[in-house]
Structure formats: C-alpha cells, structure tokens
C-alpha cells in the first residue's frame, strides 16, 4: 500500500477561510474584532518563528491583537502581572504564552493565572479538566488540529479502532489521547519507558507520534493500512526538517500519513485562530 497524504496545508487553508468568515461576522455584530494577544519571553529562535507565523496568520484572518515581546530576564512577578492585565482587558479574547519559557521562569503559575475563558491554547488546569470530563471548552491547538485532519479525511469514526499515542506531554500527548478516547478509540499511551514500543505500535490502526525524536517510528512499526499522524518537528542530520516518523518507508505501509513539514504544523495555527474566534463568541454570548 502507498499512503494518501493528509495535507495539513490545504486543510488549514480551509479552516482559516472559515475562521475569517466568522471573524468578519463577529466584527460586524459586536463592533470590534476578536483579539488575540501572544506573550513571548526571551529570544529562543524557534519560538520567534512560531510567534511571527501566529501573528501574520491572525492578521490575515481578521483578528486584532498584539505580541508582547519581553526580555529573557523578565521576572516571574512581571510575567504574571502582564497575564493579569491581559485577563482584565475586555478587548482581549485570547491569550497565549509561548512555551518554553526561558530558564528561571516557571510556566505553571503563569498558566494557573490565565483566565480560562481566554485560554486559547487550552493549557490551563480548567481547560484540561473540561477535556477530561468531556465538557465543552477550549482545547489545545495541536491535538485539535490532528483530530480535524482525521475528520476532513473521513477517518474519525474510531469505534473498534486501536490508537497509540507516543509521547505524554500536556501540549499534545495527553490531550490527544483523551480526544481519541472521546471518539471511542481504544487508546494506548506510550512513552520513553514503554517496553516493546515497536510491537505496541504495530497493533495500532492510528499512530500519533509526538515525542520529538527524529524518525523514531520505522516501517516495521506500522501495521498495513494504519493512519499515521506525525506531530514531530526535528532537524535531521542534514539540517532538513523531519518528523518523528521515517516518512518514506512508513508511507509504504500506511493508508494515510501526514508529511513534515505541511502536515500537523499548519493545523496548529489554524486551530489557534479557530479557538480565538470561539472564545470571543462565547465571551460575548455570556454577556447577553
Ligand atoms: N510551543 C510549541 N508549541 C506551542 C503551542 O502550541 N503553544 C504554546 N504556548 N507554546 C508552544
């Protein structure tokens, strides 16, 4: 079998188009644009690129907003005070604190302070709890993007299917396991201490790789006809971007596979925009 490509770039463009329409309707109805504010501390080069991409995409989708760029020596108290200020500003619908924070700053108390109704990254304890409980709420963007890819390809009827998630981060692994479970998949959560990872993986109909290890997942790990979602973005030996999946060899066995780049990555930003408009709509509805 040769896999069909799950084209994140194309599907993200569809999502961004939908968001733009909703953002315009929101602005017409409420006389203001939905507002996304991003906090970037320090000068991590990858974070700078991600934030710049978010900023450009937000502008194109018709959102208002701002990036707050803070120096690496910002104190914990200063960062938390900024989050409180953004929480209190009625024109702001979404707040995203780009991770990782520089050494010396602790993300947890910052996220604990973030107003759950503005948590467009879905990382606060409240958002995580709502997901755990299967209640509506703002979901983390990367796993939402993966689920949207499955839906667009007609692959989201997961009853009776086995899924494996490799990686247990708050950003991706844990939330996507819950999302797959909510779609009735039988989910295995694998991680760096899992024994016989290749064998576990080879039983799965859906493989989500989110560990951050370049080309970890090999051909023999993939069951014939499996759907492979690669969340990894790593630099290969030759400096090229590669995922957590050895793409060419796994594509020979999978039925569907996401490329890197052009798979999950573009979906993350699209879902952030989607969350921002959803947060804005909910905040206005709550006032009515
Ligand atoms: N760093 C890498 N990905 C993400 C993300 O989705 N959200 C935040 N806040 N930081 C990140």
């Amino acid at each position: 079998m040769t896999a069909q490509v799950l084209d994140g770039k194309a599907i993200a463009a569809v999502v961004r188009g939908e968001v733009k329409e909703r953002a315009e309707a929101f602005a017409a109805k409420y006389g203001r644009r939905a507002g996304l504010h991003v906090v970037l501390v320090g000068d991590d080069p990858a974070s700078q690129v991600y934030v710049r991409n978010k900023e450009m995409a937000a502008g194109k989708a018709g959102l208002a907003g701002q990036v707050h760029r803070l120096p690496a020596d910002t104190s914990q108290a200063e960062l938390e005070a900024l989050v409180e200020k953004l929480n209190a500003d009625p024109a702001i619908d979404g707040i995203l604190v780009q991770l990782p924070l520089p050494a010396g700053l602790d993300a947890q108390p910052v996220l604990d302070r973030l107003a759950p109704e503005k948590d467009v990254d879905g990382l606060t304890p409240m958002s995580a709890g709502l997901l755990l409980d299967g209640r509506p709420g703002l979901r983390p963007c990367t796993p939402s993007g993966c689920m949207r890819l499955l839906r667009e390809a007609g692959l989201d009827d997961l009853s009776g299917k086995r899924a494996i998630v490799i990686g247990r981060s708050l950003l991706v692994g844990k939330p996507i396991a819950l999302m797959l479970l909510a779609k009735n998949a039988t989910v295995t959560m694998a991680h760096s201490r899992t024994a016989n990872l290749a064998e576990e993986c080879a039983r799965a109909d859906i493989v989500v790789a989110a560990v951050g290890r370049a080309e970890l997942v090999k051909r023999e790990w993939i069951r014939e006809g499996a759907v492979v979602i690669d969340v990894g973005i790593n630099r290969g030996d030759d400096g090229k971007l590669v995922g957590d999946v050895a793409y060419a060899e796994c594509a020979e066995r999978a039925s569907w596979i996401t490329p890197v780049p052009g798979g999950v990555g573009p979906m993350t930003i699209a879902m952030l925009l989607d969350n921002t408009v959803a947060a804005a709509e909910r905040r206005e509805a709550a006032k009515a």
Side-chain angles (χ1 to χ4, degrees):
M1 180 173 277
T2 302
Q4 288 182 262
V5 175
L6 261 172
D7 185 345
K9 221 171 146 184
I11 296 171
V14 172
V15 174
R16 286 205 313 269
E18 289 170 8
V19 170
K20 190 168 164 50
E21 276 184 26
R22 270 169 71 196
E24 297 304 338
F26 179 90
K29 185 163 176 191
Y30 297 107
R32 68 176 186 90
R33 294 201 167 269
L36 171 64
H37 283 232
V38 176
V39 179
L40 173 61
V41 189
D43 33 39
D44 175 63
S47 290
Q48 302 219 7
V49 174
Y50 293 146
V51 167
R52 181 88 197 108
N53 289 341
K54 287 171 187 173
E55 192 178 16
M56 286 195 304
K60 279 194 202 153
L63 305 183
Q66 192 184 328
V67 177
H68 302 262
R69 292 185 167 81
L70 305 181
D73 64 358
T74 298
S75 71
Q76 186 80 29
E78 284 169 324
L79 178 56
E80 291 177 21
L82 174 60
V83 168
E84 296 284 8
K85 193 176 122 202
L86 302 178
N87 281 344
D89 186 335
I92 297 176
D93 299 291
I95 305 168
L96 180 150
V97 180
Q98 186 68 26
L99 302 175
L101 293 173
L105 288 176
D106 187 357
Q108 201 60 68
V110 178
L111 293 174
D112 285 351
R113 269 174 203 277
L114 210 154
E117 69 274 16
K118 299 189 178 187
D119 175 25
V120 287
D121 230 6
L123 296 182
T124 61
M126 175 66 89
S127 300
L130 292 172
L131 171 59
L132 186 67
D133 207 16
R135 289 156 62 188
L138 293 163
R139 306 293 196 230
C141 305
T142 301
S144 298
C146 296
M147 297 307 291
R148 183 71 192 254
L149 285 176
L150 290 176
R151 194 173 103 198
E152 293 291 332
L155 301 168
D156 62 340
D157 179 5
L158 301 180
S159 298
K161 298 279 201 291
R162 284 178 205 264
I164 189 166
V165 177
I166 312 173
R168 52 179 159 179
S169 69
L170 180 67
L171 222 50
V172 186
K174 284 177 188 157
I176 200 166
L178 290 168
M179 292 177 186
L180 292 164
L181 185 63
K183 287 276 174 194
N184 301 317
T186 300
V187 183
T188 299
M189 288 207 69
H191 45 78
S192 54
R193 311 262 177 97
T194 298
N196 304 322
L197 184 53
E199 286 165 36
E200 291 286 348
C201 199
R203 275 195 282 273
D205 303 298
I206 317 277
V207 177
V208 179
V211 264
R213 300 238 330 250
E215 303 187 317
L216 172 75
V217 177
K218 304 284 190 287
R219 184 180 205 281
E220 312 74 60
W221 299 31
I222 301 299
R223 179 185 173 151
E224 191 73 35
V227 174
V228 179
I229 309 273
D230 189 352
V231 181
I233 302 180
N234 314 284
R235 288 267 166 219
D237 295 336
D238 54 3
K240 279 217 274 205
L241 283 186
V242 292
D244 291 350
V245 174
Y247 182 86
E249 58 186 66
C250 292
E252 288 173 10
R253 294 202 58 163
S255 57
W256 290 86
I257 190 166
T258 60
V260 176
V264 174
M267 294 302 293
T268 296
I269 294 186
M271 300 317 288
L272 171 67
L273 307 176
D274 191 71
N275 270 352
T276 304
V277 177
E281 290 168 348
R282 262 182 230 159
R283 289 183 64 245
E284 289 294 342
K287 282 187 207 162

